[in-house]
Amino acid sequence: MSVRTVRHFIDNAFVDAVEGGSFPSVSPIDNQQIAEVAEGTRADAARAVEAARRAFDEGPWPRMSPAERKRYLHRIADGIDARLDELARWETLDMGKPITESKTRDIPRSAFNFRFFADYAEHLSTRAFDQRAAGIFSYELREPLGVVAAISPWNFPLMLLTWKVAPALAFGCTVVAKPAEQSPITASILAEIAAEADLPPGVFNLIQGFGPDAAGQELTEHPGVDAVTFTGESATGRLIMANAARTLKKLSFELGGKSANIVCADADLEAALDGTVTGSFGNQGEVCLAGTRLLVQHPIYDEFVARYVERAEAMKVGDPRDPETQMGPLVTQEHMDKVLSYVDLAVEEGGTIRTGGRRLSEGDLGKGNYVAPTIVTDVRNEMRVCQEEIFGPVEMVMAFDELDEAIAIANQTRYGLAGMVWTTNLATAHRVAREVRTGTMWVNCYFVRDLRAPFGGYKDSGIGREGGDYSYEFFTESKAVVMKLA
Ligand code: NAI
Ligand code: MG
């Protein structure tokens, strides 16, 4: 297979790195190189920021009506749809997710991110404040925030990048985006699509490369950037916040999670099993929202765990290009080693591996980064494996008697991103939804979302919310215009 060349996209032109560097992107299927990628340094980031700055300060984009911007953004969405197969293939090749997931979820959702925010922006209004007695009338003007840096992770490469880029553009900002170094390819195809959609120069810029002391960090420190929207590890969020402090940037963070999945004795067990399997092993468990701590109520504990183990063992793990595959390889060898080291730690801490717990290396699988779906019981919530984010197909299972206990365990974590509860009792559902301190709580479902609803995390799982009005709030400035009535 030929190696694809991936460049930056700055001011509507594809360019190499200023300092000439590049790095390989490999496929987790066989660890062979699939792309040679421009390595963005601070100089490339600065160049892209300058282009975005000019486009914002002098160009037409922030001055257009939402309806005009919508025409461009719909062209991008149509472009994504037109290249669905190609984008899905590259996403799967680059980071290992099953092709069925790329094709039916990630890539269509990426197109929908553009349509949703383009349409949404057209229907917004602002508030007016009538204060006749004082002889004044005030109204709120919403204006595009400025130059936005969008820094995204590798687990849903195009879906999470577009979740940031689409609202930023729809609300009139200009953007410099940086995808994760492990999964650079689909973002660069998006740049080709944007080029064809004929956006004014500098409105959408894409740079490739690493974070620390490189392209990523420069985006968080450059005085020309007004805001950073970041999805990634909590530790990285902490660094970015410190680095961005000197230039007082507006920040939106979607960070890690260690969410509880609570299965009550009165649940529809079949539905709970489906959700639990998806919630622990979907996308190889490389999901911030994953329900990685499974809490099962005592009366059904043995039966539920037995059926869950059976379901894990029946999963088809293998080449993600095969439409039958349910779980592909982990993103890099390094990440696989980290995940396997947590399996060792689980055993050291006293856990029992009920299934999996090992690398799969039969035949061609040996060339890639495959880990069997892993279920661990006999763990306690204080253990490191129940507190730290593993970000792979490794589930910790605990039992509970009373709901109080499940809620307490769910809350004993520094994270607060998501959670699930499976019950047929309405009161139980409402109680768990209220008492677990977390950004999203799913009741008898998982992963489905309304893009108008707030998305983000409590505690170490994030700062701020995105989605619908929440994105509008983040990507705009609010101005009060105060008028004398007489
Ligand atoms: P990461 O934090 O290592 O990297 C994310 C992005 O930040 C990459 O583009 C990277 O190049 C960049 N970066 C790294 N250091 C930087 C720095 N000092 N300055 C600026 N940019 C920097 O995260 P990774 O490993 O790519 O993704 C996995 C993590 O992302 C997990 O912890 C997961 O929980 C989290 N995540 C959170 C989601 C959410 O919505 N809350 C969704 C998906 C992933
Ligand atoms: Mg890759």
Side-chain angles (χ1 to χ4, degrees):
M1 196 178 154
S2 65
V3 170
R4 189 183 176 104
T5 301
V6 171
R7 298 192 169 85
H8 306 313
F9 181 69
I10 301 174
D11 239 348
N12 281 6
F14 285 92
V15 294
D16 290 321
V18 173
E19 290 165 32
S22 64
F23 65 100
S25 183
V26 300
S27 172
I29 298 171
D30 54 10
N31 291 299
Q32 295 298 304
Q33 184 178 1
I34 52 174
E36 186 67 24
V37 185
E39 184 174 344
T41 60
R42 286 180 179 271
D44 299 282
R47 219 182 131 189
V49 170
E50 282 150 26
R53 193 74 254 170
R54 272 194 306 279
F56 188 83
D57 294 340
E58 298 155 27
W61 190 256
R63 292 155 194 92
M64 282 181 193
S65 70
E68 278 176 276
R69 286 195 290 262
K70 173 178 149 172
R71 292 213 311 276
Y72 290 92
L73 300 180
H74 273 250
R75 282 211 288 269
I76 296 181
D78 294 344
I80 293 173
D81 285 346
R83 294 172 75 169
L84 167 67
D85 286 341
E86 182 194 354
L87 282 162
R89 223 171 33 244
W90 280 108
E91 202 74 299
T92 287
L93 206 56
D94 206 6
M95 66 67 67
K97 73 177 65 210
I99 186 73
T100 312
E101 291 182 15
S102 301
K103 219 167 152 170
T104 63
R105 182 194 56 217
D106 284 52
I107 307 302
R109 220 331 259 295
S110 304
F112 186 63
N113 284 338
F114 280 98
R115 288 202 181 91
F116 171 80
F117 283 108
D119 296 350
Y120 199 86
E122 214 187 357
H123 297 289
L124 291 164
S125 51
T126 60
R127 299 208 290 170
F129 310 88
D130 185 352
Q131 204 182 358
R132 248 167 283 199
I136 59 164
F137 174 88
S138 306
Y139 67 90
E140 180 189 24
L141 260 188
R142 283 296 188 105
E143 296 176 337
L145 176 66
V147 173
V148 170
I151 303 176
S152 52
W154 47 260
N155 57 340
F156 294 90
L158 193 64
M159 185 169 132
L160 289 178
L161 184 107
T162 54
W163 172 245
K164 299 175 179 308
V165 170
L169 293 179
F171 299 125
C173 296
T174 61
V175 173
V176 181
K178 195 199 82 61
E181 57 273 22
Q182 296 88 347
S183 57
I185 299 176
T186 49
S188 85
I189 299 177
L190 177 70
E192 293 174 15
I193 292 167
E196 281 159 25
D198 214 18
L199 268 67
V203 169
F204 171 65
N205 307 276
L206 181 77
I207 52 169
Q208 302 285 355
F210 298 82
D213 200 25
Q217 190 171 340
E218 181 64 20
L219 290 181
T220 67
E221 295 177 346
H222 196 293
V225 172
D226 298 299
V228 179
T229 166
F230 165 76
T231 298
E233 282 185 44
S234 300
T236 313
R238 231 170 244 122
L239 267 176
I240 291 179
M241 193 170 196
N243 293 337
R246 281 187 294 275
T247 46
L248 286 177
K249 297 189 197 318
K250 193 174 183 182
L251 301 173
S252 175
F253 288 169
E254 293 176 2
L255 308 173
K258 191 79 182 178
S259 300
N261 173 17
I262 302 173
V263 182
C264 298
D266 62 17
D268 170 345
L269 291 196
E270 207 46 45
L273 267 175
D274 285 345
T276 299
V277 169
T278 311
S280 41
F281 305 129
N283 210 52
Q284 300 75 242
E286 296 166 325
V287 182
C288 52
L289 303 162
T292 45
R293 294 180 297 148
L294 172 62
L295 314 180
V296 188
Q297 204 160 16
H298 256 132
I300 57 161
Y301 180 84
D302 288 331
E303 183 198 344
F304 193 82
V305 173
R307 286 171 68 184
Y308 178 39
V309 167
E310 227 171 81
R311 292 279 295 265
E313 289 175 351
M315 280 190 89
K316 196 163 181 298
V317 184
D319 191 322
R321 290 168 295 191
D322 180 345
E324 302 284 299
T325 291
Q326 294 169 302
M327 215 178 85
L330 301 190
V331 67
T332 58
Q333 277 174 323
E334 192 190 359
H335 186 60
M336 173 181 66
D337 292 341
K338 178 189 143 188
V339 169
L340 289 171
S341 78
Y342 272 107
V343 174
D344 294 340
L345 179 64
V347 174
E348 255 168 61
E349 290 189 298
T352 305
I353 310 288
R354 297 291 291 266
T355 184
R358 62 190 183 92
R359 182 176 178 185
L360 296 173
S361 48
E362 299 79 25
D364 279 349
L365 296 190
K367 297 181 194 155
N369 316 325
Y370 295 90
V371 172
T374 301
I375 297 171
V376 185
T377 56
D378 304 318
V379 288
R380 288 187 323 278
N381 196 49
E382 310 77 63
M383 293 176 177
R384 277 183 57 200
V385 286
C386 291
Q387 291 295 319
E388 296 174 18
E389 189 177 42
I390 300 173
F391 224 62
V394 182
E395 183 77 14
M396 300 300 149
V397 189
M398 290 168 268
F400 69 93
D401 287 308
E402 301 299 326
L403 198 57
D404 285 344
E405 210 184 325
I407 292 169
I409 295 173
N411 281 329
Q412 276 154 20
T413 167
R414 64 189 178 91
Y415 293 113
L417 191 60
M420 285 172 251
V421 58
W422 303 88
T423 178
T424 48
N425 182 322
L426 201 53
T428 301
H430 284 304
R431 189 165 161 224
V432 171
R434 260 172 217 280
E435 293 186 15
V436 179
R437 292 181 56 75
T438 193
T440 298
M441 177 59 75
W442 277 289
V443 178
N444 296 329
C445 59
Y446 173 61
F447 215 71
V448 284
R449 286 198 45 222
D450 183 324
L451 301 195
R452 294 171 300 181
F455 183 72
Y458 282 46
K459 303 191 267 185
D460 283 7
S461 289
I463 294 182
R465 295 291 181 273
E466 293 186 1
D469 285 346
Y470 307 90
S471 298
Y472 179 45
E473 174 79 41
F474 182 74
F475 292 111
T476 55
E477 283 283 13
S478 209
K479 178 184 286 174
V481 180
V482 187
M483 306 186 57
K484 196 162 183 241
L485 278 172

